[in-house]
């Protein structure tokens, strides 16, 4: 009995505890609902503010780039021409002759002469009338390049200056031989326009205002550096009218052109005055803010600027700009076959050698420099230094020897001319040639100076043959049928054959 009563009591106490729990739960139910609501609201808020504490989410991995866009794991094999091989066998003369003779055939009238030599030894590998005097056209510029680099030096520059004039309020623009002046700001990255008239004008205004100058300025020009006729009487008037060349002055814009991009047609007939007028316009713009005005019109200085201020007194230099180097100008001359620039470099070479800055001085200086370089000149007749005159007579052998001196001679100053040789199918006057099936093999391999007149074609340059031997060559056609397409093709095929020659 005792046991039963005790058990019932225990059950009773359990039931009472359960009633109290239910009652407590009923009384706390609003608090549970409130807590659940707070949790539901807090979760989105936590998601919003969590990045501020945890930092940005890690970006998704980028898709893998294609293989050709990925950094290389190893260096590519070196490309380009193989190095010269000193042990390479020299081609045999009979084999080279057998290759070239069938190719150098005139299309219509006229004949080709030519010379090929091994550059290192001078050994003659092909000789067809190589000692005969020929009209070389623009191959003449190779002779001018050698003379300028020897006499002036590859790094020489020409100055265009502004000095105080002989009377108050006058300034004199003095030509120092730079015919590649640009109208705007100087551009040190280019040969054409390396020195700019806008830069020169701004520097002139700065110098004048620092000295307290004001009022009106008058621009004079001193172009007395060159002498003799501005136009060579040996040049054909039709070539001058066509814009192949223009009267020569020791300062000019765009190598004596109105627009550097337009290389044919009318050109300024007085490049010195044209440059002075452009300078005056730039000076007028630069001086406006400083209270300086510039009188209309320009005039030639009554006396060379070096005499201004008396015999013992040099003029006050107000401003100066310098040209591209001789080496850079030689590159332009050869790549573009620029007649005006060639004639200017010839006269500047003459002045450096103590000769007059004239056409006669230029031809004499070129001859003297070639002779001093150990090159034969007895068979040469030089009428100009750009090759426009039909009176020039130079054998193919002389051009072959000149190219040999440039590529491998003892005078390393001449190496500066190498960049100026047009590359077949790519640059300069050879950029549109070597595209046909018979000549495509020479594209990128033949490097040569062209020459073109009405009845004249020439090509002088160098190649590395299939065995790694450096060969120099010159081919000249005279009396050719004007416009006959096969003549350029003959020159290009011959040069291509040399590039592919393993002629033993």
């Amino acid at each position: 009995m005792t046991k039963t009563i005790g058990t019932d009591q225990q059950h009773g106490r359990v039931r009472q505890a359960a009633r109290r729990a239910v009652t407590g739960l009923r009384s706390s139910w609003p608090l549970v609902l409130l807590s659940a609501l707070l949790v539901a609201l807090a979760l989105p808020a936590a998601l919003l503010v969590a990045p501020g504490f945890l930092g940005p989410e890690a970006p998704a991995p980028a898709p893998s780039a294609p293989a050709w866009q990925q950094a290389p794991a190893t260096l590519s094999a070196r490309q380009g021409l193989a190095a010269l091989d000193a042990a390479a066998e020299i081609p045999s003369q009979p084999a080279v002759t057998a290759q070239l003779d069938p190719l150098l055939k005139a299309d219509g009238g006229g004949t080709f002469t030519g010379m090929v030599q091994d550059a290192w030894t001078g050994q003659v590998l092909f000789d067809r009338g190589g000692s005969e005097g020929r009209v070389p056209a623009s191959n003449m510029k190779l002779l001018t390049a050698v003379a300028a680099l020897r006499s002036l030096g590859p790094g020489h520059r020409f100055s265009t200056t502004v000095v105080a004039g002989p009377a108050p309020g006058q300034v004199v623009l003095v030509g120092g031989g730079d015919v590649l002046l640009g109208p705007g700001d100087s551009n040190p990255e280019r040969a054409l326009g390396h020195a700019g008239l806008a830069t020169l004008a701004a520097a002139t205004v700065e110098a004048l205002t620092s000295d307290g100058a004001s009022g009106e300025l008058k621009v004079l020009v001193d172009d007395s550096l060159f002498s003799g006729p501005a136009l060579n009487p040996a040049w054909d008037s039709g070539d001058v009218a066509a814009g192949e060349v223009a009267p020569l002055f020791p300062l000019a814009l765009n190598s004596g052109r109105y627009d550097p991009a337009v290389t044919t047609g009318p050109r300024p007939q007085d490049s010195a005055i044209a440059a002075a007028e452009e300078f005056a316009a730039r000076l007028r713009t630069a001086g406006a803010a400083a209270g300086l005005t510039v009188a209309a019109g320009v005039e030639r200085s009554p006396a060379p600027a070096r005499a201004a201020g008396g015999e013992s007194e040099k003029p006050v230099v107000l401003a100066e700009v310098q040209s591209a180097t001789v080496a850079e100008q030689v590159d332009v001359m050869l790549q573009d076959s620029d007649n005006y620039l060639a004639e200017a470099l010839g006269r500047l070479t003459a002045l450096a050698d103590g000769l007059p800055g004239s056409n006669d001085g230029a031809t004499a200086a070129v001859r003297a420099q070639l002779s001093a370089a150990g090159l034969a000149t007895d068979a040469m007749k030089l009428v100009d230094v750009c090759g426009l005159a039909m009176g020039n007579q130079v054998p193919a052998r002389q051009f072959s020897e000149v190219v040999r001196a440039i590529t491998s001679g003892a005078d390393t100053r001449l190496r500066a001319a190498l960049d100026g040789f047009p590359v077949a199918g790519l640059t300069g006057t050879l950029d549109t040639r070597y595209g046909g099936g018979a000549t495509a093999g020479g594209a990128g391999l033949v490097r040569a100076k062209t020459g073109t007149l009405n009845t004249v074609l020439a090509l002088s340059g160098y190649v590395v043959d299939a065995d790694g031997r450096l060969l120099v060559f010159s081919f000249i056609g005279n009396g050719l049928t004007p416009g006959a397409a096969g003549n350029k093709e003959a020159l290009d095929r011959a040069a291509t054959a040399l590039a592919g020659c393993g002629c033993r």
Side-chain angles (χ1 to χ4, degrees):
M1 180 67 91
T2 304
K3 180 177 180 180
T4 303
I5 295 173
T7 302
D8 291 341
Q9 289 175 342
Q10 289 177 355
H11 284 288
R13 287 196 291 269
V14 169
R15 286 194 293 270
Q16 291 175 356
R19 292 191 193 100
R20 286 196 297 269
V22 171
T23 303
L25 182 60
R26 289 173 178 170
S27 62
S28 63
W29 187 250
L31 294 176
V32 172
L33 290 177
L34 180 60
S35 298
L37 179 60
L38 291 175
V39 169
L41 294 174
L43 282 173
L47 291 175
L48 290 174
V49 301
F53 296 96
L54 302 178
E57 183 179 353
S64 178
W68 57 269
Q69 286 185 342
Q70 297 184 26
T74 59
L75 294 177
S76 301
R78 184 177 178 181
Q79 298 180 343
L81 294 176
L84 295 178
D85 184 357
E89 191 173 345
I90 299 175
S92 74
Q93 183 172 8
V96 174
T97 301
Q99 286 268 3
L100 299 185
D101 259 340
L103 301 177
L104 283 173
K105 291 183 177 180
D107 181 3
T111 58
F112 284 106
T113 61
M115 174 74 68
V116 178
Q117 293 176 272
D118 177 67
W120 287 349
T121 66
Q123 181 176 328
V124 175
L125 306 178
F126 174 79
D127 184 357
R128 183 199 286 180
S131 297
E132 299 175 12
R134 306 287 276 183
V135 181
S138 284
N139 276 203
M140 277 292 300
K141 295 180 177 71
L142 290 171
L143 311 186
T144 304
V146 167
L149 290 169
R150 281 181 51 84
S151 178
L152 296 161
H156 185 76
R157 300 178 188 271
F158 310 111
S159 295
T160 304
T161 58
V162 178
V163 302
Q170 292 181 339
V171 293
V172 184
L173 177 67
V174 183
D178 186 2
V179 298
L180 300 182
L181 290 167
D185 293 333
S186 296
N187 186 346
E189 302 301 319
R190 299 189 59 190
L192 186 64
H194 189 279
L197 293 182
T199 296
L200 185 63
T204 301
V205 168
E206 183 178 355
L208 290 170
T209 54
S210 67
D211 287 341
S214 61
E216 187 176 71
L217 300 173
K218 178 69 176 178
V219 174
L220 309 178
V221 60
D222 176 6
D223 61 353
S224 62
L225 188 65
F226 291 171
S227 57
L231 274 177
N232 190 328
W235 292 334
D236 185 270
S237 59
D239 289 333
V240 176
E244 294 293 335
V245 75
L248 263 291
F249 295 89
L251 73 166
L253 287 165
N254 309 316
S255 198
R257 297 185 179 93
Y258 291 113
D259 184 338
V262 180
T263 57
T264 59
R267 301 172 71 147
Q269 296 302 292
D270 192 329
S271 291
I273 291 295
E277 289 173 342
E278 181 66 31
F279 172 72
R282 300 289 176 161
L283 189 64
R284 187 174 294 111
T285 299
L292 294 172
T293 59
V294 178
V298 298
E299 299 174 6
R300 280 188 163 82
S301 178
R306 59 181 176 273
E311 293 292 329
S312 61
E313 187 179 341
K314 291 183 178 180
V316 176
V317 176
L318 300 173
E320 176 182 10
V321 287
Q322 291 196 321
S323 73
T325 66
V326 167
E328 292 166 333
Q329 297 199 38
V330 163
D331 286 351
V332 173
M333 175 184 69
L334 296 179
Q335 284 281 343
D336 299 340
S337 203
D338 191 315
N339 294 320
Y340 197 98
L341 179 56
E343 291 294 326
L345 288 174
R347 285 160 172 74
L348 292 163
T349 298
L351 290 166
D353 289 351
L355 298 170
S358 63
N359 179 72
D360 290 344
T363 55
V366 169
R367 179 184 293 276
Q369 284 296 333
L370 294 173
S371 180
L375 299 166
T377 60
D378 293 344
M380 294 183 183
K381 179 184 178 183
L382 306 184
V383 179
D384 68 12
V385 296
C386 72
L388 193 59
M390 290 292 290
N392 293 312
Q393 290 282 308
V394 183
R397 182 177 193 121
Q398 265 55 55
F399 288 109
S400 179
E401 290 285 1
V402 163
V403 177
R404 185 174 169 230
I406 291 171
T407 58
S408 50
D411 191 344
T412 56
R413 292 174 297 180
L414 304 187
R415 303 288 188 274
L418 288 174
D419 287 344
F421 281 78
V423 179
L426 295 174
T427 64
T429 53
L430 285 180
D431 62 346
T432 60
R433 290 164 63 169
Y434 292 81
T439 60
L445 302 179
V446 175
R447 290 157 167 79
K449 178 70 194 79
T450 58
T452 306
L453 291 172
N454 198 31
T455 60
V456 177
L457 286 174
L459 192 69
S460 298
Y462 63 97
V463 298
V464 177
D465 76 2
D467 291 329
R469 200 79 194 183
L470 179 63
L471 308 179
V472 297
F473 66 88
S474 178
F475 306 129
I476 305 175
N478 277 191
L480 303 174
T481 301
N487 289 321
K488 280 185 181 178
E489 180 85 358
L491 292 177
D492 295 346
R493 290 180 68 184
T496 298
L498 279 181
C501 192
C503 304
R504 294 191 289 273

